[in-house]
Amino acid sequence: MYTQDFDPTGSLFLSALLALLPLLVLLVLLGGIRLKAHWAGLAGLLVALGVAVLGYSMPVGQALDSAAFGAAFSVLAILWITFNAIWIYNLTVETGDFHTLRRAFASVSDDRRIQAIVIAFAFGALLEALAGGGSPIAICAVMLIALGFSPLKAAALTLVADTAPVAFGGMGNPITIIGATTGLDADRFGAMAGRQTPLLAALVPFVLLYMADGRRGLRQVWPAALAAGLSFSFSQFVFSNYFAYKLTDIFAALVSVGAILLLNRFWKPEPADETDGAGDGAPAGSGIRDDDPHRHEGTADSTADRIRAFAPYGIIVLLFSLAQIEAVKDWLAKGTCTFAWPGLHILNSDGDPMATNYVLNWASHTGTLLFISGLLTMLVLKTGPTTGMRVYGRTIRQFGWAIFTILCVFSLSYVMNQSGQIVTLGQWLAGSGGFFAFLSPVVGWFGVAITGTDAGANALFGGLQVTAAHQLDVSPYLFGAANSTGGVMAKMISPQSLAVGAAAVGIVGQEGTLFRRVFGWSMLLLLITAVLVYLQSTPVLDWMVV
């Protein structure tokens, strides 16, 4: 039995520095020394184990068991979801339908920069809303490569784009988690998040334009970014506050695409004559490279072809919508198996047992619904079982070392959490008084940087945010939502996301380079979020608080 001690050194500041070591090692090795993500993840895990055993007096067996628990959790939380999402995409590539889908998106505009907004921002948000787990990063990055972007730039664009929708991703799972963790109303957390994330959503398309084509892109294509960002952010606010937060990103994504389509009927960007640095020499506004081996020269896609290409994602939308029906949800929940993780016995500082249950919700799990969607996709695309299994095996091999990275980082997060390191960091930050309103999103940022998921960060720090809010006489919904909103800024630099993005575009080993491409944007957007939350805690913007 291990009893957590959140201040093992007798000085909360020194304890916080000690608890910060694993995360610092991970980020420095990844972004500074340019070590490959799997070795940086392993090093961070070893440091976390060392801090837990030597600094927090956690028994070696309990520390190793905690790491195993985290690795097992990542299989369901990330791998099972991501494998199936990418498998569906790979099936469409195998049949040639992906090229039809790509041409359909290209028909929105013949400018590649607008196509990048449609795919990375709007379509990526739809995928995040339905599945999450890195699927939009992987799928959209490959689609951007098909448009002519280099693998590194494509991965960076999708990582940055996958920020605005994350707080409501996976059918609002992060919001649901923080409601369950704190015992407060999830709908009010969703409404409050809907008064923070829209600001970021309005900015992200402009960031994507700058990343894709620099100042020229901003100068020439800003109306498209404005239409996409404002329509998405307005929809996020309306649906999270007045309808259902679980459906927020689905409708925001669809409205955003509709806004771009409408704009494109009345406005065309100035054509770009120079290359965008993608490495292929293609003009930034030249459209896609069509290398579809299944398509005959000079033929056009029929309506039936386009319906077939969009069918896999229509199946996902339909299946996930059915799974939200209360009767169906209850029926699927009957397949859930919950058991205490063997050998793991932890008490918190108050002497109460810490939950160490493994929830095997195989029937209702997002990954299982995606797997079923894949089977239905095989039927629609007329893909045989042998081909389906071959493509699935290729999908798993595609990830390679990324699987090891994800296992290591989730193990690290569980060791840090269950040894007490995470709470130490949170308590130290909460001791900053009124300034904690500024640091509240930073707490969420740390949580996502460690766990790789906004839901995981909310599970770790949701209770701490609410406690700090009560101590400071501030709305707990403000700080709870800030944890989720600030956390999404770390999604782009979390080792899991970097590993998924690098594996999807074939640049495994260059995660450090990718990290440096997006780290500055992560910091900038986090700063904007922190300032917004701080102002919402003062009379300046407290009228925005639910």
Side-chain angles (χ1 to χ4, degrees):
M1 183 67 70
Y2 168 64
T3 302
Q4 293 178 332
D5 180 4
F6 302 141
D7 187 12
T9 67
S11 166
L12 189 58
F13 174 72
L14 294 178
S15 296
L17 289 180
L18 184 65
L20 195 59
L21 277 179
L23 184 58
L24 287 177
V25 168
L26 181 65
L27 297 181
V28 169
L29 291 180
L30 192 62
I33 301 180
R34 305 185 184 185
L35 201 63
K36 292 183 177 180
H38 49 276
W39 298 126
L42 179 60
L45 171 59
L46 293 175
V47 172
L49 287 168
V51 170
V53 173
L54 301 176
Y56 282 73
S57 303
M58 190 178 195
V60 175
Q62 294 284 337
L64 293 174
D65 201 17
S66 181
F69 188 19
F73 181 80
S74 71
V75 173
L76 273 183
I78 298 293
L79 297 179
W80 180 231
I81 295 174
T82 308
F83 286 162
N84 291 315
I86 305 304
W87 175 49
I88 294 172
Y89 155 74
N90 283 338
L91 285 173
T92 66
V93 173
E94 183 72 17
T95 60
D97 291 284
F98 168 73
H99 299 275
T100 305
L101 180 69
R102 189 189 67 190
R103 288 189 291 269
F105 277 115
S107 67
V108 173
S109 171
D110 58 3
D111 191 288
R112 192 164 65 198
R113 297 161 295 185
I114 296 179
Q115 295 165 8
I117 293 175
V118 173
I119 292 173
F121 181 70
F123 184 58
L126 180 61
L127 293 176
E128 180 66 37
L130 296 172
S135 55
I137 296 170
I139 293 173
C140 294
V142 177
M143 294 180 75
L144 290 181
I145 291 175
L147 296 177
F149 289 100
S150 69
L152 190 62
K153 180 175 284 189
L157 285 168
T158 51
L159 282 167
V160 173
D162 193 34
T163 50
V166 169
F168 299 100
M171 304 301 292
N173 192 46
I175 302 300
T176 302
I177 290 293
I178 196 168
T181 300
T182 61
L184 298 176
D185 186 4
D187 288 318
R188 295 187 69 182
F189 279 120
M192 189 63 236
R195 304 179 188 199
Q196 296 170 345
T197 58
L199 174 63
L200 304 171
L203 295 176
V204 167
F206 290 95
V207 175
L208 296 181
L209 275 185
Y210 185 82
M211 293 177 67
D213 199 29
R215 294 181 179 177
R216 180 185 63 181
L218 288 174
R219 185 178 67 253
Q220 295 180 347
V221 196
W222 66 265
L226 185 66
L230 286 184
S231 60
F232 190 96
S233 59
F234 177 75
S235 300
Q236 264 199 334
F237 168 75
V238 170
F239 275 90
S240 61
N241 277 268
Y242 302 109
F243 294 96
Y245 71 83
K246 293 184 178 182
L247 303 177
T248 294
D249 280 344
I250 294 177
F251 286 95
L254 296 176
V255 170
S256 183
V257 172
I260 296 176
L261 287 171
L262 181 63
L263 174 70
N264 202 49
R265 294 184 61 182
F266 305 100
W267 169 85
K268 301 288 183 182
E270 178 184 345
D273 299 322
E274 302 172 12
T275 62
D276 73 335
D280 58 10
S286 64
I288 65 173
R289 299 176 300 177
D290 193 349
D291 54 355
D292 182 1
H294 300 267
R295 186 187 187 210
H296 297 292
E297 187 70 29
T299 61
D301 297 316
S302 66
T303 301
D305 291 333
R306 293 196 175 194
I307 292 175
R308 174 183 159 113
F310 278 96
Y313 301 101
I315 289 170
I316 294 173
V317 171
L318 178 61
L319 200 61
F320 275 79
S321 298
L322 290 174
Q324 296 306 307
I325 299 174
E326 209 62 39
V328 177
K329 186 186 297 184
D330 293 340
W331 179 69
L332 292 174
K334 292 179 180 178
T336 301
C337 174
T338 303
F339 59 91
W341 188 257
L344 195 57
H345 307 292
I346 300 174
L347 301 177
N348 62 25
S349 59
D350 296 326
D352 299 321
M354 186 174 182
T356 55
N357 293 329
Y358 191 88
V359 180
L360 186 61
N361 54 336
W362 64 272
S364 60
H365 195 272
T366 299
T368 302
L369 295 177
L370 284 171
F371 180 72
I372 296 172
S373 299
L375 296 177
L376 295 174
T377 295
M378 289 173 58
L379 292 175
V380 172
L381 302 185
K382 299 179 181 179
T383 304
T386 303
T387 301
M389 288 189 292
R390 176 171 53 81
V391 173
Y392 203 104
R394 190 175 72 216
T395 300
I396 295 176
R397 291 193 301 273
Q398 174 182 345
F399 281 84
W401 281 105
I403 298 173
F404 182 74
T405 303
I406 291 167
L407 294 174
C408 282
V409 174
F410 260 82
S411 296
L412 176 152
S413 69
Y414 268 65
V415 171
M416 290 189 68
N417 181 35
Q418 296 180 340
S419 65
Q421 298 172 52
I422 292 290
V423 178
T424 297
L425 288 172
Q427 288 187 346
W428 175 64
L429 290 172
S432 58
F435 190 62
F436 182 75
F438 182 88
L439 297 177
S440 178
V442 180
V443 174
W445 186 92
F446 272 110
V448 174
I450 296 168
T451 67
T453 68
D454 204 38
N458 286 347
L460 284 177
F461 289 139
L464 183 144
Q465 295 275 12
V466 169
T467 300
H470 287 313
Q471 291 175 348
L472 299 172
D473 196 25
V474 176
S475 168
Y477 295 103
L478 172 61
F479 285 179
N483 193 81
S484 197
T485 305
V488 303
M489 300 308 112
K491 184 77 172 179
M492 68 182 81
I493 58 96
S494 71
Q496 294 95 314
S497 296
L498 294 172
V500 169
V505 301
I507 56 171
V508 173
Q510 297 187 48
E511 292 88 353
T513 304
L514 189 56
F515 173 88
R516 289 189 298 279
R517 283 282 186 101
V518 300
F519 182 75
W521 296 114
S522 176
M523 292 293 96
L524 175 62
L525 294 174
L526 177 62
L527 176 62
I528 293 172
T529 305
V531 171
L532 172 64
V533 174
Y534 177 75
L535 292 177
Q536 287 177 331
S537 72
T538 69
V540 177
L541 292 180
D542 63 359
W543 51 269
M544 295 180 66
V545 179
V546 295

